[in-house]
């Protein structure tokens, strides 16, 4: 569970500190205030998407996004000569579109955790086989199937 998000020089945000509620956090504001940029920043630190550096605030040299969970602190930074992650004080270099395995494991986030503004409602527009496939990504249904088979 993410407790705090700190965004620096990301799109509309020079510096933004968000303390997140342990249950539900709602982000509201007028059009073009940076609500979607908050979600993009969260995706950038956790999934390295969007790629590149076009999201860096105009006129700045460095962008960073930090998040704090109950057990970890993760920071993603990118500048002219620096492209890195920091997990609990240890530095990792970022290469290409991947994120370091230690960071990925610590955050345990994937595209399934993000609902973007233009995405259709989660799973409601998917076919039954696609819902099954995605559900299997969340919960290993083959384990349940084999257990039920053994019990029979």
């Amino acid at each position: 569970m993410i407790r705090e998000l700190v965004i620096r020089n990301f799109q509309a945000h020079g510096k933004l500190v968000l303390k997140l509620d342990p249950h539900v956090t709602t982000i509201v504001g007028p059009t073009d205030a940076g609500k979607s940029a908050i979600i993009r920043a969260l995706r950038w630190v956790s999934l390295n998407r969007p790629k590149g550096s076009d999201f860096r605030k105009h006129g700045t040299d460095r962008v960073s996004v930090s998040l704090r969970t109950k057990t970890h602190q993760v920071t993603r930074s990118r500048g002219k000569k620096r492209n890195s992650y920091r997990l609990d004080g240890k530095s990792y270099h970022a290469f290409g579109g991947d994120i370091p395995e230690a960071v990925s494991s610590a955050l345990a986030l994937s595209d399934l955790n993000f609902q973007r503004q233009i995405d259709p409602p989660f799973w409601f527009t998917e076919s039954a086989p696609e819902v099954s496939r995605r559900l299997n990504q969340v919960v290993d249904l083959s384990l349940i199937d084999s257990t039920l088979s053994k019990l029979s």
Side-chain angles (χ1 to χ4, degrees):
M1 172 184 347
I2 300 170
R3 293 182 171 193
E4 182 180 75
L5 182 67
V6 179
I7 301 170
R8 289 186 176 91
N9 299 328
F10 195 99
Q11 292 183 324
H13 302 289
K15 182 176 181 186
L16 177 68
V17 178
L18 289 173
K19 305 271 186 195
L20 304 176
D21 185 87
H23 304 289
V24 174
T25 298
T26 303
I27 301 168
V28 296
T31 300
D32 220 18
K35 299 178 300 293
S36 295
I38 294 168
I39 303 303
R40 281 197 244 6
L42 186 54
R43 288 184 81 237
W44 184 65
V45 69
S46 60
L47 303 175
N48 194 21
R49 293 186 203 114
K51 295 178 184 173
S53 60
D54 291 342
F55 46 79
R56 188 175 60 225
K57 186 175 175 79
H58 181 71
T60 63
D61 293 331
R62 186 170 175 261
V63 59
S64 70
V65 177
S66 298
L67 60 85
R68 184 174 51 86
T69 68
K70 184 177 181 180
T71 55
H72 298 289
Q73 173 80 30
V74 175
T75 301
R76 172 85 166 95
S77 300
R78 184 161 186 167
K80 289 184 179 184
K81 295 183 180 183
R82 186 173 189 205
N83 188 12
S84 64
Y85 281 89
R86 192 162 185 81
L87 171 63
D88 301 329
K90 185 174 180 185
S91 294
Y92 298 87
H93 292 288
F95 297 105
D98 296 329
I99 65 171
E101 180 61 36
V103 175
S104 180
S105 293
L107 295 178
L109 293 172
S110 73
D111 272 327
L112 286 174
N113 298 104
F114 293 92
Q115 176 76 34
R116 290 177 290 182
Q117 185 176 5
I118 58 172
D119 289 344
F122 189 62
W123 288 355
F124 291 126
T125 59
E126 304 288 349
S127 66
E130 181 63 18
V131 170
S132 177
R133 187 183 69 76
R134 289 183 178 229
L135 187 57
N136 195 42
Q137 289 177 323
V138 177
V139 179
D140 187 2
L141 296 177
S142 64
L143 181 62
I144 294 170
D145 290 342
S146 67
T147 302
L148 288 173
S149 174
K150 288 176 184 176
L151 288 173
S152 293

